[in-house]
Amino acid sequence: MIDPTPNETEAMATGGQMGGEYLESIGKSDLATLSEEEWARFLDAVVTGYCDHLRALAAKDRNRLDAMAPEVPF
């Protein structure tokens, strides 16, 4: 990813953490030793962690921006 936003950077860290937690849960750290199913679950953990966190940050930003917007006077 070229020039990630602060939200993307934070989401990448969360996705990485989720992938690490999955690896810990199966007792492996060498990606080359993962079975095809383990690899798919590892990727799912990373991508889901990234996407879920990015959506949560976007919702937080949206709520903050909506609170700043003045109400329409009509």
Side-chain angles (χ1 to χ4, degrees), residues 2-67:
I2 299 171
D3 297 327
T5 66
N7 281 2
E8 290 168 334
T9 300
E10 188 175 325
M12 281 189 275
T14 298
Q17 181 180 2
M18 298 299 291
E21 288 175 10
Y22 171 70
L23 293 175
E24 285 182 9
S25 77
I26 63 171
K28 292 186 176 181
S29 59
D30 185 352
L31 298 181
T33 65
L34 298 180
S35 70
E36 191 173 319
E37 182 179 339
E38 290 168 336
W39 177 251
R41 289 185 181 198
F42 168 72
L43 291 178
D44 182 57
V46 172
V47 172
T48 300
Y50 172 84
C51 291
D52 287 352
H53 195 72
L54 195 58
R55 275 191 292 275
L57 291 172
K60 183 176 151 186
D61 288 346
R62 177 79 267 157
N63 291 337
R64 185 172 49 91
L65 291 172
D66 288 346

